[in-house]
């Protein structure tokens, strides 16, 4: 396999379901009492945090990062920034994960226990639990100790079941964790108990991408054999299934999926460059989008709110280096942005900067775009190899990247002419 194909096995693993409508209150366990040392004091003021980061900014012409984290001994496959704090978790080929401070690179916790690459990492929606998923089939979880700050963590539990973990996702509103497996199964656990809630069996290939719908009521999953399934978390029976046997849906394997903010549409990307828009309410194919190069796989999907009617844009990125912006009200291609090599990650900056898009690429750079004007605002440099993952933090003001060069870098999303961060 070439470099970009090899990344499929890792990025789609990246790339909280305690809701009353499907989880009874008696199923939810009270938080387990925790012991541990008293946490250190931490100043969590975002402005102070970002000021420290700016002060440490590199002056090297080809490195405009504000902080680096070089502790991994080989490729970093996944990174995620804490929902509110200046912390990141990263996982790599060295079988290790780390929780670290993005302002100074300090290691907060070394996350051990995996016997193979840590291919995916994620925070719970409230940032109280962090999870790592590995090619060894293990999912390991750590929990914050105390309530004063986020400097002390303890090991919580290890989940087993998948053959090889392809991705992990937390429910958007509760402590429920979803994982896709290389053995065609999809798993759902309740935390902190670690009890298995469901094992979904309906795919015929590796379940390499999946998402909770933003409203938390459904799960969308897809496999390497080209099957897309919508699930009700309460039932092991699919709500609907689309397969490659339907010629209109033959994508030569599904490589990425995304669900729009209203939980009504899924955008599905395939290994051969095809994109389909699916109605999650009807189970029908709404549109076929053709803007990427045939034979180049779709690696990333995200959404932007750029229209007055609220329909929004879908954004797709592929190994052809193209980023396509689609107006979902007309299903038309509105713009194409480009990198010099494969797109690996797309990130939408949250409101009020919801016109901003961040892309990461195998060309060793990340870029911040104004999607409304199709303008490149900033190129983020510093990596010496392909960028395999990225995450936004501190309300979208910083980007943390994961590199094939074994380094994580921190960048400010935007800069003014005087070099100060815009907020």
């Amino acid at each position: 396999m070439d470099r970009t194909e090899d990344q499929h096995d890792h990025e789609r693993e990246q790339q909280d379901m305690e809701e009353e409508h499907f989880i009874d209150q008696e199923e939810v366990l009270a938080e387990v009492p925790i012991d541990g040392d008293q946490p250190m004091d931490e100043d969590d003021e975002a402005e102070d945090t970002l000021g420290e980061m700016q002060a440490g900014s590199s002056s090297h012409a080809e490195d405009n990062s504000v902080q680096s984290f070089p502790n991994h001994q080989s490729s970093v496959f996944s990174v995620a920034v804490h929902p509110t704090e200046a912390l990141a978790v990263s996982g790599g080929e060295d079988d290790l994960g780390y929780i670290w401070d993005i302002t100074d690179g300090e290691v907060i916790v070394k996350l051990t226990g995996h016997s193979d690459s840590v291919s995916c990492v994620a925070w719970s929606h409230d940032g109280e639990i962090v999870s790592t998923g590995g090619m060894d089939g293990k999912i390991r979880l750590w929990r914050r100790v105390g309530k004063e700050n986020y400097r002390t963590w303890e090991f919580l539990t290890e989940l087993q079941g998948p053959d090889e973990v392809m991705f992990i996702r937390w429910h958007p509103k509760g402590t429920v964790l979803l994982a896709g497996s290389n053995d065609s199964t999809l798993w759902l656990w309740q935390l902190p108990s670690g009890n298995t809630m469901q094992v979904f069996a309906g795919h015929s290939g590796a379940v390499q991408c999946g998402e909770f719908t933003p409203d938390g009521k459904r799960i969308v999953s897809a496999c390497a054999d080209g099957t897309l399934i919508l699930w009700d978390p309460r039932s092991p029976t699919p709500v609907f299934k689309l397969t490659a046997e339907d010629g209109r849906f033959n994508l030569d394997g599904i490589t990425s999926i995304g669900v729009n903010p209203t939980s009504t549409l899924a955008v599905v990307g395939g290994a051969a460059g095809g994109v389909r828009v699916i109605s999650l309410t009807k189970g029908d194919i709404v549109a076929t989008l053709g803007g990427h190069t045939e034979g180049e796989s779709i690696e990333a999907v995200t959404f932007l709110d750029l229209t007055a009617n609220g329909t929004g844009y879908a954004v797709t990125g592929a190994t052809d280096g193209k980023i396509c912006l689609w107006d979902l009200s007309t299903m038309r291609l509105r713009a194409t942005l480009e990198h010099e090599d494969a797109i690996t990650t797309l990130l939408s900056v949250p409101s009020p900067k919801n016109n901003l898009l961040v892309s990461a690429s195998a060309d060793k750079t990340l870029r911040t775009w104004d999607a409304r004007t199709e303008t490149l605002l900033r190129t983020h440099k510093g990596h010496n190899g392909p960028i395999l993952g990225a995450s936004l933090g501190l309300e979208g003001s910083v980007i943390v990247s994961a590199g094939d060069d074994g380094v994580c870098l921190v960048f400010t999303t935007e800069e003014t002419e005087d070099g100060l961060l815009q907020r």
Side-chain angles (χ1 to χ4, degrees):
M1 295 187 293
D2 62 21
R3 167 68 65 183
T4 54
E5 290 174 337
D6 189 51
Q7 290 165 19
H8 300 342
D9 294 333
H10 311 304
E11 294 172 285
R12 288 187 289 274
E13 301 144 0
Q14 306 167 7
Q15 216 178 78
D16 303 28
M17 184 183 303
E18 208 170 277
E19 289 205 337
E20 296 175 359
H21 57 267
F22 66 83
I23 299 178
D24 295 332
Q25 287 302 312
E26 52 265 32
E27 292 182 64
V28 181
L29 302 184
E31 185 171 356
V32 178
I34 51 180
D35 298 314
D37 298 332
Q38 291 298 314
M40 298 185 298
D41 291 334
E42 180 185 28
D43 182 359
D44 58 4
E45 290 290 331
E47 290 188 6
D48 290 347
T49 289
L50 292 164
E52 293 174 31
M53 294 166 64
Q54 284 296 114
S57 178
S58 170
S59 60
H60 192 282
E62 293 302 308
D63 184 354
N64 56 7
S65 65
V66 296
Q67 185 59 51
S68 67
F69 183 77
N71 294 53
H72 285 281
Q73 301 303 305
S74 51
S75 299
V76 187
F77 293 140
S78 183
V79 67
V81 183
H82 191 278
T84 59
E85 304 298 312
L87 298 176
V89 59
S90 55
E93 192 177 19
D94 54 5
D95 308 348
L96 293 172
Y98 290 94
I99 299 175
W100 51 280
D101 189 321
I102 65 174
T103 67
D104 58 12
E106 176 194 357
V107 174
I108 305 300
V109 187
K110 186 177 182 180
L111 308 177
T112 61
H114 285 282
S115 57
D116 205 340
S117 299
V118 177
S119 50
C120 41
V121 296
W123 299 95
S124 60
H125 79 286
D126 57 4
E128 294 292 306
I129 304 175
V130 69
S131 53
T132 58
M135 296 175 71
D136 55 5
K138 299 176 183 177
I139 295 174
R140 291 174 62 81
L141 298 108
W142 285 259
R143 174 176 49 189
R144 179 165 74 122
V145 174
K147 296 297 182 182
E148 294 301 317
N149 56 40
Y150 289 81
R151 311 298 288 187
T152 307
W153 297 75
E154 67 176 2
F155 177 70
L156 175 60
T157 190
E158 180 177 290
L159 308 175
Q160 293 186 328
D163 174 51
E164 176 184 328
V165 182
M166 305 299 289
F167 68 88
I168 50 178
R169 295 288 187 272
W170 286 92
H171 188 272
K173 299 176 184 178
T175 50
V176 172
L177 187 65
L178 175 72
S181 174
N182 192 48
D183 63 8
S184 79
T185 58
L186 190 68
W187 292 71
L188 198 64
W189 295 275
Q190 175 73 54
L191 275 302
S193 68
N195 293 334
T196 301
M197 297 177 64
Q198 293 283 359
V199 179
F200 302 101
H203 288 286
S204 54
V207 186
Q208 51 197 19
C209 44
E211 300 287 347
F212 286 105
T213 56
D215 62 12
K217 296 179 181 180
R218 294 287 187 267
I219 294 167
V220 185
S221 61
C223 71
D225 287 353
T227 300
L228 179 81
I229 301 179
L230 181 71
W231 308 91
D232 182 330
R234 298 167 295 186
S235 170
T237 303
V239 177
F240 72 76
K241 178 189 290 190
L242 295 173
T243 72
E245 293 179 2
D246 181 342
R248 299 174 304 152
F249 194 68
N250 187 355
L251 293 166
D252 196 26
I254 296 171
T255 49
S256 58
I257 58 175
V259 181
N260 70 335
T262 58
S263 303
T264 56
L265 297 175
V267 174
V268 185
V275 179
R276 302 289 185 272
V277 182
I278 309 300
S279 167
L280 296 181
T281 55
K282 298 180 180 180
D284 295 337
I285 300 170
V286 175
T288 295
L289 307 180
H292 290 284
T293 306
E294 185 175 354
E296 299 282 356
S297 68
I298 310 301
E299 293 296 296
V301 179
T302 192
F303 296 87
L304 293 169
D305 182 14
L306 297 178
T307 58
N309 61 12
T311 304
Y313 275 45
V315 188
T316 55
T319 55
D320 59 4
K322 292 181 182 178
I323 302 165
C324 292
L325 278 66
W326 310 91
D327 185 338
L328 292 177
S329 63
T330 61
M331 298 299 172
R332 295 180 59 185
L333 178 64
R334 302 311 302 257
T336 302
L337 312 174
E338 293 195 36
H339 275 264
E340 280 67 55
D341 206 336
I343 306 301
T344 57
T345 305
L346 293 172
L347 303 168
S348 302
V349 177
S351 181
K353 297 283 189 176
N354 54 3
N355 60 310
L356 298 186
L357 173 73
V358 174
S359 55
S361 172
D363 68 7
K364 309 177 187 179
T365 72
L366 300 98
R367 295 178 181 178
T368 299
W369 310 84
D370 184 332
R372 196 181 303 278
T373 61
E374 304 164 27
T375 304
L376 175 62
L377 299 180
R378 193 172 184 212
T379 299
H380 310 282
K381 298 180 179 180
H383 281 286
N384 295 313
I387 297 167
L388 304 181
S391 177
L392 291 170
L394 300 180
E395 301 178 336
S397 61
V398 298
I399 312 160
V400 182
S401 57
D404 197 35
D405 54 5
V407 176
C408 294
L409 295 178
V410 183
F411 302 92
T412 52
T413 306
E414 295 180 274
E415 262 192 340
T416 58
E417 291 182 2
D418 59 6
L420 298 177
L421 183 71
Q422 290 181 337
R423 288 187 60 77

